[in-house]
Amino acid sequence: MKAKGMPKESAQPPSPFIRRHIGPDAAEAASMLEALGYPSLDAMIDAAVPARIRAKAIPAFPGRGEAETLAELRALASQNKVLRSYIGMGYHNCVTPPVILRNVLENPGWYTPYTPYQAEISQGRLEALLNFQTMVMDLTGLEVANASLLDEGTAAAEAMTLSRAVKAAEGPGSFFVSRDCHPQTIAVVQTRAKPLGIRVVVGDHASFDFSSAPGVFGALVQYPDTHGTVNDYRSFCAKAREAGALVTVAADLLALTLLTPPGEFGADIAVGSTQRFGVPLGYGGPHAAYFATKDAYKRQMPGRVVGVSKDSRGRPALRLALQTREQHIRREKATSNICTAQVLLAVMASMYAVYHGPDGLREIAARVRRLAEALAEGLKKLGYRVDDAVRFDTVRVPVSPASLQTIVSDAQAAGINLRVIDHQSIGVSLDETASESDVADILKAFSLGKPVDLDVAGLAARTPPIPENLVRRSAFLKEAVFHLYHSETEMMRYLKRLQSKDVSLADSMIPLGSCTMKLNAAAEMLPITWPGFADIHPFAPAGQAQGYRALFEQLERRLSDLTGFEAISLMPNAGSQGEYAGLLAIRAWHESRGEGKRDVCLIPQSAHGTNPASAALAGFRVAVVACDAQGNVDLADLRAKAQEHAADLAALMITYPSTHGVFEETILDITKIVHERGGQVYMDGANLNALVGLCRPADLGADVCHFNLHKTFCIPHGGGGPGMGPIGVRSHLAPFLPGHPIASPAREPRGVGPVSAAPWGSAGILPISWAFISMMGSEGLAQATKAAILNANYVAKRLAGHFPVLYKGQSGLVAHECILDCRAFKESAGVTVEDIAKRLMDYGFHAPTVSFPVSGTLMVEPTESESKAELDRFCEAMTAIRGEIGEIDSGKADKADNVLKNAPHTADMAASDAWTHPYSREKAAFPAPWSRERKLWPSVGRVDGAYGDRNFVCSCAPLESYVG
């Protein structure tokens, strides 16, 4: 046995970071291997991972220590030039209140939790997201909002598909988009529309005739528009309504503190970004988009919705509401492939509103508008013909082609980025960080070397009022939460109070199968708030982002080495978006060969729900392939389906290792069957944590694969986002990777359009994965994979006598996760898998994945980061719960009134004077020795989901409800 993780001999000493990332040390690993009956880790891996899929060779690279890695990242960050960017286009500099920066963004209590499916131990995040929804509903004037989407461009595309679904448009139909929307938004909408056959009509909203295009079911306008004009859309909305079309308004939330909200002038849907509410630019992301609509459309709305329900004692409790309308559950019937959100960023944006309150937000917005008006007046005095349109923060300046480059260059020399709209106009978008001196600097750049003697303060003092038809009259953010926490002391305590209601990796392991909740090391997280990475505008000149470009190239090279793919795209900002981008590349490749008729996508029954949803959105027809009794793809059925669709077979989507947690021995046969019939193979990379350093997807026959950087490569889950889902492709698909109209305007036309609003997705979090790969090195990454497989098999072995392990490989081993069968307990004791999940909370654990991929089971993935002690603690909890089930079986415990049916038990339940249960308070609240020492109490009893859906509420209570 070697040192921790048991590295083989190397010419270079292993990185010390490896032993910090991998949980079991050498002695623990030896003990675990002994329990499994293997003399060494390599012997166990040889038994678990089929020899025919092992990589022949993977390029080696050394691991580096934390200090060395951070020094190199500082050097990369220093290559980026942080200018004052007034480019706008939906991205703005802002101030992240330090209390939010320190207590949310930099706090593992907020960035390491999982999606709040287990509501009783997620009440803190759910409350923060309820605040987010309330903020969005209030500012947009609409009746329901979700808990965030990925970015403004994809939110607009989601509005398009919702509009078509609501209107049940016959045939593909048409969607109108104003030419004055942000260009990246237009491009994303066009990308999403093409495979669905939707005709996107881009034009002037003022002159558009709804009868001029066939079957117009919806329209999109920008408010204020991309050039800064605040249009009155009342008549446009009326015309759309008369034509039977829904209107979506992409609106700036800060502007809505001053302007009439979309819901009050006839809009059906509002979308946009909350980035300027305290979230750093991050070279394009991650940022939380918002989506609001009318109550009538809530069941078609994409994304997650937090709702108010009640717990087992009738007290208010929060949960994710209307979950059956989540798009990944709809599978091939989905109208969206969004099953991810941007929770961490939505929390930041909501807390920005909590911190400032309505008066503070209005004051920030008014100040920005005053400076924009001062700039416009100053430019007029310099001789520019700036129009008198109503504006909020942006001024469009007509200039001569001869002077344009001089102005832009002079501005850059002064440390300022301006937007070049076209060859004879420049845009300037001011923001929260701008000052009177910044406006003076901008005016100087426009003076073309002439002296400027303008009183910016005096110009700002003469700001004209907003016209009556556009001014906001309605109140917003009346709820108590937006009025109580304006001092830092109160804000700090509020954030801490919410954090204490949630289970995170700072509390215990989160053993979720298929989700890979591993360590997010502090050294990996540190760089994301450095100005050199955090404060770069996504459309800044390329020369100002050389550090980012170098980081991208290095990360792409490492991902290519590890997976075998020749080309990588970092654009997809979620796993679902990676699936979508990969399928579009396959579709475009077939079309380039004159085989556009290929439109069938084979998907095994065991696939992730996002797979069929993504296939449907990419315009494919889904054919389901059966699995055998061992959970493997049924080769005979695959061969039959592939032959049946040989003429129109486009692709197979397969997860490897399988969603059932095993290495399928026949993967090479599977990919060969598809290739022989003209199809391409899409490999879902959700389980890449079982492959890195041992196997490469491209070597297994995959043509495309997405990599969940928030799973395998350590970007934190953030309570349900951010995520990143870059894709790798073989060389023949490289020309068909997504392009971007701003970052790659001259790109080969065969490529598909953008799948994210920003060219490199959520670039601001890529330093996390870069740091992880750098510190682990190729050897450390392979050790991590082996440790993940070891940990999963150790858990499976310890629990197999209590919970049958549903699927295993031919060697009797699992991959990196195992499925525990709990179905028999419902018959014998009336205990459901949900009862077990809730009882685990009393032991201090988040539940494994419930009822996926098999109903009535728990899927456990311990990851490589958990120590043997933590694994043992979890196994002891599960074993004790099995004993509690046995007590019900034997009649010792009441079948209806027992610790499982009443779980979880809150502190006030245990301390209540009224205790009527036949078991003790101690058994309820302190079922294991460690629960006395490290107890995170569920803050509510079991939540009644059905009640919440029947009595749907998705916003905070009004201030009046707190009186008395």
Side-chain angles (χ1 to χ4, degrees):
M1 305 284 285
K2 305 278 185 182
K4 178 169 184 170
M6 293 139 289
K8 295 180 179 178
E9 292 297 324
S10 172
Q12 186 158 347
S15 163
F17 178 76
I18 298 172
R19 68 174 181 267
R20 306 194 191 286
H21 177 80
I22 297 177
D25 62 20
E28 290 176 332
S31 174
M32 294 160 71
L33 287 164
E34 183 178 1
L36 289 166
Y38 288 93
S40 69
L41 181 60
D42 284 339
M44 191 211 74
I45 294 298
D46 288 342
V49 185
R52 66 189 300 226
I53 73 167
R54 296 286 289 271
K56 301 296 186 291
I58 296 176
F61 54 93
R64 289 172 284 193
E66 294 173 70
E68 184 183 356
T69 295
L70 288 172
E72 186 164 346
L73 277 170
R74 285 193 186 278
L76 289 174
S78 69
Q79 294 177 35
N80 295 326
K81 297 179 181 178
V82 181
L83 274 65
R84 291 169 284 173
S85 287
Y86 302 122
I87 298 170
M89 299 171 68
Y91 300 94
H92 304 270
N93 289 301
C94 61
V95 176
T96 306
V99 66
I100 296 175
L101 180 72
R102 174 60 58 88
N103 292 289
V104 177
L105 182 57
E106 297 179 342
N107 184 348
W110 282 99
Y111 65 68
T112 67
Y114 182 58
T115 305
Y117 287 123
Q118 295 295 333
E120 295 83 358
I121 48 175
S122 305
Q123 289 294 298
R125 266 167 302 132
L126 289 167
E127 181 172 330
L129 292 176
L130 194 72
N131 295 344
F132 178 88
Q133 292 173 181
T134 303
M135 172 188 80
V136 170
M137 292 161 61
D138 278 9
L139 289 173
T140 62
L142 286 162
E143 296 159 343
V144 61
N146 69 16
S148 77
L149 290 177
L150 297 173
D151 57 36
E152 182 169 328
T154 54
E158 295 295 332
M160 172 181 68
T161 53
L162 181 146
S163 297
R164 188 173 73 156
V166 166
K167 288 300 178 181
E170 293 185 8
S174 299
F175 188 69
F176 172 78
V177 180
S178 169
R179 66 189 181 192
D180 293 326
C181 290
H182 295 316
Q184 72 273 16
T185 300
I186 297 174
V188 171
V189 168
Q190 289 172 326
T191 298
R192 291 282 287 270
K194 183 179 177 182
L196 299 176
I198 297 172
R199 179 172 179 248
V200 175
V201 181
V202 180
D204 181 1
H205 82 274
S207 59
F208 178 66
D209 181 358
F210 280 85
S211 65
S212 65
V216 181
F217 57 80
L220 173 69
V221 293
Q222 194 92 38
Y223 182 68
D225 71 25
T226 192
H227 304 126
T229 302
V230 180
N231 296 295
D232 185 345
Y233 291 116
R234 285 180 175 83
S235 62
F236 179 80
C237 290
K239 287 193 295 182
R241 187 163 50 251
E242 187 177 335
L246 300 186
V247 174
T248 298
V249 176
D252 183 323
L253 285 188
L254 188 63
L256 296 185
T257 64
L258 305 179
L259 303 175
T260 304
E264 293 180 15
F265 61 65
D268 302 284
I269 305 167
V271 299
S273 173
T274 62
Q275 178 268 316
R276 72 188 309 172
F277 276 33
V279 181
L281 286 165
Y283 205 40
H287 308 138
Y290 73 83
F291 192 110
T293 187
K294 295 180 176 178
D295 183 75
Y297 310 142
K298 62 177 177 283
R299 292 187 180 273
Q300 287 90 1
M301 187 170 59
R304 300 186 176 114
V305 182
V306 175
V308 181
S309 186
K310 64 178 182 178
D311 73 359
S312 54
R313 297 161 300 159
R315 301 184 181 186
L318 307 178
R319 64 179 285 272
L320 291 181
L322 308 175
Q323 291 192 42
T324 54
R325 40 148 300 290
E326 281 203 41
Q327 295 294 331
H328 64 287
I329 295 172
R330 294 180 182 180
R331 299 174 70 84
E332 67 270 17
K333 296 181 176 63
T335 56
S336 162
N337 72 328
I338 295 295
C339 75
T340 47
Q342 297 279 27
V343 169
L344 184 65
L345 300 313
V347 169
M348 291 179 67
S350 74
M351 292 306 167
Y352 181 90
V354 169
Y355 186 65
H356 288 291
D359 293 339
L361 292 179
R362 195 182 293 108
E363 182 179 330
I364 292 169
R367 183 172 170 278
V368 170
R369 180 171 178 266
R370 285 196 300 272
L371 291 176
E373 291 293 350
L375 175 62
E377 287 304 307
L379 289 165
K380 290 177 184 178
K381 292 183 180 298
L382 292 178
Y384 292 93
R385 297 193 307 277
V386 178
D387 64 41
D388 293 321
V390 180
R391 65 178 59 85
F392 169 58
D393 63 357
T394 299
V395 183
R396 181 175 185 172
V397 192
V399 298
S400 69
S403 62
L404 184 146
Q405 192 54 53
T406 299
I407 294 169
V408 171
S409 297
D410 286 352
Q412 288 184 6
I416 292 171
N417 284 326
L418 304 176
R419 176 186 176 188
V420 177
I421 297 174
D422 52 40
H423 70 286
Q424 54 186 3
S425 60
I426 292 173
V428 187
S429 296
L430 299 179
D431 56 56
E432 178 187 6
T433 68
S435 65
E436 292 173 359
S437 63
D438 292 319
V439 173
D441 290 344
I442 296 169
L443 290 170
K444 185 177 180 181
F446 276 93
S447 71
L448 297 172
K450 299 176 183 177
V452 178
D453 184 19
L454 294 172
D455 177 12
V456 175
L459 294 173
R462 295 193 290 274
T463 298
I466 296 171
E468 289 293 319
N469 63 320
L470 292 170
V471 70
R472 180 169 195 135
R473 299 294 181 192
S474 56
F476 57 92
L477 305 187
K478 296 182 293 182
E479 296 75 13
V481 69
F482 300 106
H483 297 263
L484 298 176
Y485 308 114
H486 297 165
S487 77
E488 179 160 339
T489 302
E490 290 301 325
M491 186 68 180
M492 174 183 67
R493 290 171 179 163
Y494 180 56
L495 290 170
K496 176 65 174 177
R497 189 159 66 250
L498 294 190
Q499 178 193 332
S500 68
K501 296 179 180 182
D502 288 9
V503 166
S504 72
L505 285 176
D507 300 298
S508 62
M509 70 182 288
I510 300 178
L512 284 153
S514 193
C515 294
T516 318
M517 301 293 292
K518 62 170 69 176
L519 170 71
N520 315 120
E524 296 156 8
M525 298 298 295
L526 278 174
I528 66 170
T529 56
W530 294 348
F533 290 129
D535 295 343
I536 308 291
H537 194 286
F539 304 137
Q544 295 175 18
Q546 292 303 306
Y548 259 122
R549 302 304 172 98
L551 185 145
F552 297 158
E553 291 172 3
Q554 293 167 21
L555 182 57
E556 288 173 6
R557 184 167 64 251
R558 292 300 183 221
L559 291 174
S560 181
D561 289 343
L562 293 167
T563 62
F565 294 106
E566 290 86 359
I568 307 289
S569 171
L570 299 175
M571 187 186 295
N573 55 1
S576 58
Q577 297 299 92
E579 292 176 18
Y580 183 67
L583 291 172
L584 290 187
I586 289 173
R587 182 187 178 99
W589 179 75
H590 283 307
E591 289 173 348
S592 74
R593 293 158 49 87
E595 295 191 328
K597 68 181 189 306
R598 290 185 175 271
D599 66 347
V600 171
C601 185
L602 302 178
I603 301 180
Q605 288 174 329
S606 61
H608 286 151
T610 53
N611 288 179
S614 295
L617 266 289
F620 291 121
R621 293 181 292 136
V622 173
V624 178
V625 178
C627 291
D628 62 22
Q630 288 72 45
N632 301 316
V633 172
D634 186 322
L635 271 187
D637 191 56
L638 172 65
R639 192 174 283 109
K641 295 280 174 56
Q643 188 59 41
E644 176 187 351
H645 296 288
D648 52 11
L649 178 59
L652 165 77
M653 295 188 80
I654 187 167
T655 303
Y656 198 82
S658 79
T659 307
H660 291 144
V662 293
F663 292 99
E664 297 195 34
E665 300 268 355
T666 59
I667 183 62
L668 293 171
D669 303 311
I670 289 170
T671 57
K672 183 179 179 182
I673 288 169
V674 174
H675 285 144
E676 286 177 343
R677 289 156 180 81
Q680 295 284 281
V681 175
Y682 184 101
M683 185 171 287
D684 186 314
N687 294 338
L688 198 64
N689 208 47
L691 299 181
V692 175
L694 303 181
C695 317
R696 303 200 305 174
D699 298 342
L700 304 181
D703 300 288
V704 192
C705 182
H706 80 264
F707 324 126
N708 294 101
L709 299 188
H710 53 290
K711 295 183 180 181
T712 303
F713 296 103
C714 289
I715 289 175
H717 280 65
M724 278 290 276
I727 57 172
V729 299
R730 301 306 305 264
S731 57
H732 64 283
L733 293 179
F736 308 99
L737 289 173
H740 198 280
I742 298 170
S744 51
R747 193 173 184 277
E748 187 177 355
R750 292 192 298 170
V752 300
V755 296
S756 302
W760 292 277
S762 295
I765 52 176
L766 290 178
I768 300 170
S769 296
W770 187 99
F772 171 64
I773 293 172
S774 171
M775 291 188 290
M776 292 295 282
S778 55
E779 187 174 275
L781 292 170
Q783 289 181 50
T785 302
K786 294 176 183 180
I789 296 172
L790 171 63
N791 283 1
N793 278 282
Y794 177 71
V795 169
K797 178 73 172 181
R798 279 210 59 178
L799 294 179
H802 308 285
F803 300 87
V805 176
L806 201 53
Y807 300 113
K808 297 179 182 178
Q810 291 187 6
S811 62
L813 297 173
V814 299
H816 64 308
E817 58 193 8
C818 60
I819 298 176
L820 306 179
D821 193 351
C822 306
R823 292 173 292 186
F825 306 137
K826 187 172 183 179
E827 179 70 24
S828 68
V831 171
T832 67
V833 69
E834 182 184 16
D835 296 329
I836 298 172
K838 302 308 180 187
R839 180 58 173 159
L840 268 170
M841 297 176 190
D842 290 329
Y843 286 83
F845 285 104
H846 194 291
T849 302
V850 175
S851 290
F852 176 84
V854 180
S855 180
T857 65
L858 293 171
M859 183 160 63
V860 182
E861 181 179 354
T863 86
E864 72 273 14
S865 296
E866 299 301 340
S867 67
K868 180 177 180 294
E870 185 71 353
L871 300 181
D872 285 336
R873 202 166 67 88
F874 172 74
C875 290
E876 288 163 15
M878 289 295 293
T879 302
I881 290 173
R882 179 63 184 93
E884 293 168 352
I885 296 172
E887 291 177 353
I888 303 172
D889 280 334
S890 67
K892 183 178 179 181
D894 186 87
K895 198 166 185 177
D897 189 0
N898 56 66
V899 288
L900 284 110
K901 286 297 180 183
N902 295 327
H905 298 84
T906 63
D908 63 310
M909 289 167 67
S912 172
D913 289 338
W915 183 263
T916 60
H917 304 299
Y919 52 89
S920 70
R921 299 170 193 264
E922 181 176 32
K923 183 167 186 171
F926 301 110
W930 66 79
S931 60
R932 291 184 177 276
E933 302 170 6
R934 44 189 295 191
K935 177 83 173 178
L936 187 144
W937 291 92
S939 55
V940 296
R942 192 175 304 195
V943 178
D944 186 339
Y947 175 87
D949 286 350
R950 290 194 306 269
N951 302 275
F952 181 70
V953 177
C954 67
S955 62
C956 303
L959 183 61
E960 291 78 9
S961 68
Y962 290 82
V963 176

